[in-house]
């Protein structure tokens, strides 16, 4: 018998991380079920979020952007650009989480939202905080959400409907940029209403080839960097005709390259690729990371495409699509061949 008060560890802590399927027996998180095994050996029930709920099928498309904002009284909220299913149809929608409550704040006809950012200018006040939502340069005009929760689709100065569209919106420094026509970038005239087409510069700069749309526009060094399936591109404003130059011309082009890329606080851009590598790029330097190269993938370690990344003070987090296992019957049959008739007879149905 152990001395009185001695702790007996039944299942060790998961301090070694998650997903090690190669070194079996290590204290990894995937050996725990419904419990959180902490680094000091304590086991506590896993936290199950409560208070948020949706009906299955209400959100038929992935969330493309989440904005951390607040109400006019300072209460924190989250706004998500997505879609809603209603009556068998898909609508563009803005989802809201406030005070542990989920709601579909606004939805209207049109394709799902493709991008959203926080910026300024509500059509009257250039210093008013707003959220901007777009759903494609061939779809509907940009919608402006004011801090009080009102949605604006009409220019207050002219009483005409907004007509500016975008595939992706991005804030770079103090400027607002948009992706237009799938693979071109254009900047908003400073201190003007982003919902009005005439307020955009009118100079649409191509980025790479038109076969690959711009997934993400990141801000580094006060300039826009574009992540596409055919590579990473940086803006060069110095020539008489500004252009986007390729930073990774050697990358094998794939439509999913660059999805979910992010920039960290040390001036580095992370460019995920479909083969599992992440290119780490900063001005004048490039590196390559393979975060999954030492893992054997099984049901505890899902293998999928990189869908999102984020960076904290000390760590970079990569989100993967859930893995899957496909099974298929071998389709074996049992037949005999009759040489006299040159014919096969199938006996599979009587084989046990």
């Amino acid at each position: 018998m152990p001395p009185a008060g001695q702790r007996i560890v039944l299942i060790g802590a998961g301090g070694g991380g998650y997903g090690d399927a190669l070194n079996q027996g290590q204290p990894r998180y995937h050996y725990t079920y419904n419990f959180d095994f902490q680094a000091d050996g304590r086991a506590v029930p896993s936290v199950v979020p409560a208070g948020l709920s949706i009906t299955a099928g209400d959100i038929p498309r992935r969330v493309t952007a989440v904005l951390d904002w607040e109400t006019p009284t300072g209460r924190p909220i989250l706004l998500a650009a997505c879609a809603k299913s209603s009556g068998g149809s898909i609508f563009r929608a803005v989802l809201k989480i406030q005070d542990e409550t989920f709601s579909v704040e606004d939805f209207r006809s049109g394709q799902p939202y493709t991008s959203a950012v926080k910026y300024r200018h509500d059509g009257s006040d250039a210093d008013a905080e707003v959220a901007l939502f777009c759903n494609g340069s061939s779809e509907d005009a940009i919608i402006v959400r004011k801090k009080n929760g009102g949605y604006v689709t009409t220019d207050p100065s002219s009483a005409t409907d907004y007509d500016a569209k975008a595939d992706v919106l991005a804030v770079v420094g103090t400027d607002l940029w948009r992706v237009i026509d799938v693979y071109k970038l254009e900047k908003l005239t400073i201190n003007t209403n982003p919902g009005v087409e005439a307020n955009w510069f009118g100079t649409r700069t191509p980025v790479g080839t038109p076969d690959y749309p711009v997934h993400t526009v990141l801000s580094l060094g006060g300039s826009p960097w574009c992540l596409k399936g055919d590579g990473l591109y940086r803006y060069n404003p110095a020539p008489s005709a500004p252009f986007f130059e390729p930073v990774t011309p050697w990358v094998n082009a794939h439509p999913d390259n660059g999805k979910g890329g992010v920039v960290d606080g040390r001036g580095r851009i992370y460019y995920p690729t479909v083969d599992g590598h992440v290119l780490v790029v900063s001005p004048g330097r490039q590196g390559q990371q393979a975060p999954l190269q030492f893992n054997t993938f099984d049901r505890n370690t899902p293998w999928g495409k990189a869908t999102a990344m984020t960076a904290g003070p000390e760590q970079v987090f990569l989100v993967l699509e859930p893995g899957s296992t496909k099974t298929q019957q071998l389709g074996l049959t049992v037949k005999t061949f009759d040489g006299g008739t040159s014919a096969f007879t199938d006996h599979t149905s009587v084989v046990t």
Side-chain angles (χ1 to χ4, degrees):
M1 295 290 293
Q6 178 177 331
R7 178 180 298 175
I8 301 175
V9 178
L10 298 179
I11 303 179
Y18 173 83
D20 189 341
L22 182 62
N23 299 315
Q24 298 293 331
Q26 296 298 312
R28 305 299 185 178
Y29 285 120
H30 70 270
Y31 288 110
T32 68
Y33 298 91
N34 300 322
F35 274 81
D36 177 11
F37 291 85
Q38 301 179 19
D40 61 357
R42 293 184 300 115
V44 296
S46 297
V47 175
V48 178
L52 299 177
S53 64
I54 60 174
T55 301
D58 269 359
I59 311 303
R61 299 291 186 272
R62 68 176 58 190
V63 172
T64 54
V66 178
L67 306 179
D68 182 5
W69 209 10
E70 64 180 15
T71 67
T73 59
R75 301 191 70 86
I77 61 174
L78 293 176
L79 298 175
C82 191
K84 172 183 172 58
S85 176
S86 179
S89 299
I90 306 299
F91 297 82
R92 50 186 169 142
V94 178
L95 321 178
K96 182 174 75 171
I97 296 176
Q98 178 182 350
D99 298 333
E100 299 183 357
T101 300
F102 170 91
S103 64
V104 178
E105 183 179 72
D106 180 84
F107 74 98
R108 55 193 72 208
S109 62
Q111 291 297 312
Y113 287 119
T114 56
S115 181
V117 296
K118 285 193 302 182
Y119 194 57
R120 55 189 178 84
H121 207 306
D122 64 359
S124 302
D125 183 358
D127 296 317
E129 277 188 300
V130 296
L132 306 175
F133 298 86
C134 66
N135 69 340
S137 56
S138 62
E139 299 297 333
D140 302 285
I142 293 172
I143 286 183
V144 177
R145 183 197 187 275
K146 302 172 72 172
K147 197 170 188 178
N148 63 7
Y151 285 79
V152 181
T153 60
T154 303
D155 182 7
S157 63
S158 63
T160 58
D161 291 341
Y162 284 154
D163 56 354
K165 302 179 180 182
D167 298 304
V168 177
L169 293 168
V171 178
V172 180
T174 58
D175 292 317
L176 179 67
W177 292 74
R178 69 172 175 176
V179 176
I180 194 77
D181 299 335
V182 178
Y183 80 114
K184 299 176 182 178
L185 235 67
E186 189 175 20
K187 186 168 67 171
L188 179 72
T189 303
I190 196 71
N191 293 331
T192 62
N193 187 349
V196 178
E197 177 66 26
N199 293 335
W200 295 85
F201 262 38
T203 301
R204 300 178 177 181
T205 306
V207 184
T209 65
D211 293 334
Y212 296 93
V214 175
H215 298 314
T216 307
V217 179
L218 300 176
S219 175
L220 181 62
S223 295
W225 294 59
C226 296
L227 281 65
K228 301 182 61 200
D230 57 345
L232 173 65
Y233 293 80
R234 66 181 174 189
Y235 186 59
N236 187 344
S240 57
F243 72 103
F244 283 88
E245 56 185 355
V247 178
T248 58
W250 42 269
V251 167
N252 292 324
H254 189 282
D256 291 326
N257 281 344
K259 287 185 176 180
V262 69
V263 61
D264 69 7
R266 298 183 178 181
R268 298 175 297 193
I269 288 178
Y270 296 82
Y271 177 90
T273 62
V274 294
D275 58 8
H277 293 85
V278 178
L279 305 182
V280 184
V281 180
S282 58
R285 184 181 182 279
Q286 293 186 26
Q288 183 170 301
Q289 302 293 331
L292 306 176
Q293 64 180 341
F294 297 117
N295 285 317
T296 300
F297 301 104
D298 63 8
R299 65 180 182 177
N300 296 315
T301 308
W303 168 257
K305 299 174 183 175
T307 58
M309 295 186 71
T310 188
E314 298 179 356
Q315 297 168 315
V316 176
F317 300 91
L318 175 66
V319 178
L320 300 177
E321 287 183 345
S324 62
T325 301
K326 295 182 179 179
T327 60
Q328 181 177 349
Q329 299 295 329
L330 294 177
L332 296 178
T333 59
V334 178
K335 296 181 178 181
T336 60
F337 179 72
D338 187 344
T341 60
S342 298
F344 285 93
T345 301
D346 192 335
H347 303 284
T348 307
S349 61
V350 296
V351 175
T352 58

